[in-house]
Amino acid sequence: FSCSSLFGQASTDNERPGDPGPPHLLTMKSLVFASACMMSASSASARVFLHIASEAEMRVSTRIAEGHELSARLVQVASTLPEGPTKSLLHSFRICTKCHQFKRWGEGHDGGYLTCQDGLEGGKIKAAYSMGVEGHDKWSDDVYEALKVPVNQFDCTVDHPAQKCPDCHFFKACLSAPGGAGGISGKTNWDLEEALKQTGQGNATDRSLLMKMDIEGAEWFVFSANSGAPLKKFKEIIMEFHSIHDESSHPRYLKAMQTIHAAGFKVAHVHGNNYAGTYRKGGYKIPDVVEITFVADTPALATCENPKHNVLDTVNNPNIIEIPDSVLP
């Protein structure tokens, strides 16, 4: 045991993984003991000890400087995304309103969606729409059980819905933009306005309908070419957006989001589907397939926020880890 060994300890405290405390506190502790030891040492030894301590201090200072440099680089990278469709699109996914009560309707994993309960009470919702019901559609059953309203199910790729309820009505049709863009060739395709007419809700009161949509990419065409008028009949829209990574389509994606926002909707919740990866650009990131809860006619937050995980969120694919939250401009 020697005084120099204590100073050696001080110089390496910041380098050893697994220490039970903050590195700077461990270094201070070692230096205090070493200093006490040094008081009884010769002046020549003291100079050696001080030299060792100085080297340790320089190492710590170097690491702090490296940390500051890394932070500066990250800020610089985050500011490299230029103004344009991509940056505006990412910004449009920020949380801009608060839901006071969410419930998870649908499956426990893929096919389950956080549905905001604010404004759904008291018979205000007259009908619901489940767009895309192949494979699973427990959401329709949960909506009926909670609200006791007709649920209209749409999917042109199957002959019958995955889930039935006492007042569920299946239509073998898919959604498309007016004119057919985004539709499936050889199948029945209706735009949103036609779908409302076919289900007896063409003259529905504004904010009296509820919709969930998972239509494998056609959503971008449906909303980018929509006038916005049919959207105002909905109080809440729960969406799954696909292929965020496709930068060549960002102008269309942005137009779709602008149409939704212009119809009075704000983003209340964002959750990534971990069957897909993460799109990264200019220091920002968002899941490549993302579930969004839009609500209408609610107060706006003072400042829109980055999305945060909700306790009701679960992984879509239970065999892999959850996808990280978005970081948006």
Side-chain angles (χ1 to χ4, degrees):
F1 178 86
S2 68
C3 294
S4 60
S5 67
L6 285 174
F7 272 107
Q9 174 68 34
S11 70
T12 57
D13 273 340
N14 279 313
E15 300 180 358
R16 297 187 296 109
D19 279 352
H24 66 282
L25 293 181
L26 292 170
T27 302
M28 289 298 297
K29 180 175 67 177
S30 298
L31 287 173
V32 168
F33 282 122
S35 299
C37 179
M38 186 182 69
M39 291 176 65
S40 61
S42 67
S43 59
S45 297
R47 286 194 295 272
V48 173
F49 298 149
L50 288 172
H51 175 70
I52 295 172
S54 177
E55 286 187 342
E57 182 180 8
M58 288 179 62
R59 290 181 187 179
V60 173
S61 298
T62 299
R63 292 198 175 185
I64 292 174
E66 289 173 347
H68 289 324
E69 183 180 359
L70 177 59
S71 297
R73 287 179 181 176
L74 290 174
V75 170
Q76 184 179 14
V77 168
S79 64
T80 59
L81 184 60
E83 299 298 328
T86 294
K87 188 171 184 179
S88 296
L89 174 66
L90 294 178
H91 180 77
S92 71
F93 287 107
R94 289 176 67 88
I95 303 294
C96 289
T97 193
K98 181 178 181 179
C99 174
H100 295 90
Q101 183 186 15
F102 280 113
K103 286 187 179 179
R104 184 181 182 85
W105 285 348
E107 277 67 24
H109 294 287
D110 196 36
Y113 304 90
L114 266 61
T115 306
C116 182
Q117 304 298 299
D118 302 0
L120 303 187
E121 71 285 348
K124 296 176 183 177
I125 301 300
K126 304 303 181 184
Y129 288 77
S130 185
M131 306 300 196
V133 297
E134 183 271 333
H136 45 61
D137 188 35
K138 187 174 180 292
W139 187 86
S140 291
D141 192 49
D142 288 346
V143 169
Y144 172 76
E145 290 298 323
L147 303 179
K148 294 295 188 290
V149 297
V151 182
N152 300 296
Q153 303 164 301
F154 283 73
D155 201 315
C156 68
T157 67
V158 294
D159 293 323
H160 54 80
Q163 197 88 14
K164 296 181 179 179
C165 70
D167 204 0
C168 284
H169 308 275
F170 176 68
F171 296 84
K172 188 176 171 62
C174 286
L175 279 187
S176 69
I184 298 179
S185 179
K187 303 289 185 179
T188 300
N189 299 282
W190 294 335
D191 62 37
L192 186 56
E193 190 168 5
E194 182 65 22
L196 293 177
K197 291 178 181 177
Q198 292 286 341
T199 54
Q201 296 294 335
N203 295 316
T205 303
D206 285 358
R207 309 310 184 197
S208 66
L209 305 176
L210 171 68
M211 178 165 61
K212 179 272 295 179
M213 183 182 295
D214 180 3
I215 54 176
E216 306 304 325
E219 66 277 358
W220 298 117
F221 294 93
V222 170
F223 290 109
S224 63
N226 196 292
S227 67
L231 295 182
K232 293 182 179 180
K233 298 184 182 301
F234 293 90
K235 170 61 179 173
E236 183 171 345
I237 301 174
I238 303 102
M239 295 284 308
E240 183 167 272
F241 289 108
H242 301 80
S243 303
I244 304 292
H245 72 274
D246 183 4
E247 294 182 3
S248 66
S249 296
H250 282 186
R252 181 192 305 121
Y253 294 0
L254 176 59
K255 188 175 181 181
M257 290 295 287
Q258 289 172 335
T259 298
I260 295 171
H261 285 292
F265 290 92
K266 302 178 187 70
V267 177
H269 180 65
V270 176
H271 175 253
N273 185 328
N274 68 335
Y275 274 103
T278 297
Y279 169 69
R280 302 172 187 272
K281 189 73 172 181
Y284 303 112
K285 63 181 180 179
I286 189 171
D288 193 43
V289 176
V290 64
E291 301 159 357
I292 309 289
T293 303
F294 294 98
V295 293
D297 298 343
T298 56
L301 297 177
T303 303
C304 296
E305 304 170 348
N306 272 314
K308 294 182 178 63
H309 187 82
N310 186 288
V311 67
L312 297 177
D313 284 324
T314 63
V315 291
N316 295 67
N317 182 349
N319 297 315
I320 58 178
I321 62 173
E322 181 67 287
I323 202 162
D325 287 332
S326 302
V327 177
L328 305 171

